[in-house]
Amino acid sequence: DSIKPDYTTTLLSHEIDFLGEIKDGSIKIAECHFNRNFRLQFVKSNTSNPIKIILAYFRNFILEYKVKKLDTLVCLTKEDYKAWSSIKNKTVIPNFISFKSEKKSDLKSKRLISAGRYTKQKGFDLLLQIWGNIQNKYPDWQLFVYGDGIERNSLENYISRNNLNNVYLKHTVSDIASKYIESSIFIMPSRFEGFGLVLVEAMECGLPVAAFDCSYGPGDIINNGMDGFLIPQGNLELMQNKLEDLINSFELRNSISKNAIIKAEQYSIENIIKRWTNLYK
């Protein structure tokens, strides 16, 4: 009560449990920084314990009940907007790119890149399966993955057991843009997402991208066949085929790249901040 804010924003952490009950006169905004079912997806992908899964469903139900008590909801994607079906006052404002890259990839390096936390959600185990089918066809190409997380040892063991070559699990770097620019193709093999900012970052650096059409995010960003490739979730064969198409054709990489750079401009900080400013107004 002593602060008297005009606006109060929650990122849907534990404060959502009581925020709607505070009568301080402020307009209360919920920003869903992941997706409607993220907690449930996370629990189901990491345990088969029925009690934990039931609790996750219950928490999901309570979350929507609490959001209804606030003034508006901001979603990252159109797909997530639809998922919050019982919330009437809502809008879509995606994430913005944190950098502007004047330099773009020349698309000539024989290098594929992916980036994200080493967790089951990010699907790097699927990417390694695909790489196992590609590596012998293109022995002069390399795959670099940047990230950290609890699945690192499991992924390294898979690489060792299956004699995978030219694949490198790197740690998180502070200047990921330079790594995009050194590469020619970006892959996002996620099982689910909140948005998928790495896709837009890679596009900003001129990379053609390929992603599974997971819930939620990639379908909002990629116009399939124009500025990237959107692959049905879990279709490893089609993902492999599209990656091979990009590997085999500089012309295809170049045409996709030009459209990707144009698409990335929609997610510039200037454009996204305008949408936030309009919301507050």
Side-chain angles (χ1 to χ4, degrees), residues 112-116 118-135 142-146 155 158-159 164-165 167-169 185-191 210-212 233-236 239-240 243:
L112 299 90
I113 184 174
S114 191
Y118 293 146
T119 62
K120 187 174 181 180
Q121 173 202 343
K122 297 299 181 179
F124 293 126
D125 56 320
L126 306 179
L127 178 56
L128 292 181
Q129 290 181 50
I130 295 168
W131 184 249
N133 295 326
I134 290 179
Q135 62 174 5
Q142 299 174 311
L143 170 64
F144 284 79
V145 183
Y146 290 87
L155 296 172
Y158 183 92
I159 290 171
L164 301 188
N165 301 314
V167 54
Y168 306 96
L169 300 184
I185 302 167
F186 180 86
I187 314 105
M188 193 176 84
S190 297
R191 289 180 167 88
F212 286 127
Q233 180 62 51
N235 192 331
L236 305 191
M239 175 66 87
Q240 177 183 334
L243 292 178

Side-chain angles (χ1 to χ4, degrees), residues 76-171:
L76 289 176
T77 66
K78 296 173 184 174
E79 186 179 2
D80 195 42
Y81 179 96
K82 295 176 182 177
W84 290 91
S85 56
S86 70
I87 306 300
K88 303 306 179 186
N89 193 12
K90 55 192 172 182
T91 189
V92 176
I93 304 179
N95 286 330
F96 58 76
I97 311 173
S98 60
F99 61 84
K100 180 74 174 176
S101 180
E102 297 301 327
K103 188 175 181 181
K104 311 297 183 186
S105 169
D106 64 10
L107 307 175
K108 294 180 180 178
S109 71
K110 295 183 177 182
R111 178 179 292 193
L112 299 90
I113 184 174
S114 191
R117 299 185 314 279
Y118 293 146
T119 62
K120 187 174 181 180
Q121 173 202 343
K122 297 299 181 179
F124 293 126
D125 56 320
L126 306 179
L127 178 56
L128 292 181
Q129 290 181 50
I130 295 168
W131 184 249
N133 295 326
I134 290 179
Q135 62 174 5
N136 293 329
K137 296 181 182 180
Y138 309 97
D140 49 349
W141 279 76
Q142 299 174 311
L143 170 64
F144 284 79
V145 183
Y146 290 87
D148 284 299
I150 59 175
E151 292 288 319
R152 173 183 281 277
N153 289 340
S154 176
L155 296 172
E156 289 175 340
N157 289 337
Y158 183 92
I159 290 171
S160 177
R161 288 197 313 272
N162 293 277
N163 298 315
L164 301 188
N165 301 314
N166 297 330
V167 54
Y168 306 96
L169 300 184
K170 298 292 187 177
H171 291 283

Side-chain angles (χ1 to χ4, degrees), residues 1-8 23-26:
D1 287 347
S2 62
I3 298 175
K4 299 295 182 185
D6 297 304
Y7 304 94
T8 304
K23 307 303 180 184
D24 59 355
S26 68

Side-chain angles (χ1 to χ4, degrees), residues 104-109 141 183-185 203 205-209 225-229 245-262:
K104 311 297 183 186
S105 169
D106 64 10
L107 307 175
K108 294 180 180 178
S109 71
W141 279 76
S183 308
S184 294
I185 302 167
M203 290 169 136
C205 295
L207 291 187
V209 300
M226 293 293 295
D227 46 39
F229 289 111
D245 288 345
L246 289 167
I247 287 172
N248 288 321
S249 175
F250 174 82
E251 290 73 20
L252 179 60
R253 297 200 297 274
N254 193 46
S255 65
I256 296 290
S257 169
K258 289 178 180 177
N259 292 329
I261 293 169
I262 295 171

Side-chain angles (χ1 to χ4, degrees), residues 2-18:
S2 62
I3 298 175
K4 299 295 182 185
D6 297 304
Y7 304 94
T8 304
T9 300
T10 169
L11 299 184
L12 302 186
S13 188
H14 292 291
E15 70 277 359
I16 189 65
D17 291 333
F18 59 81

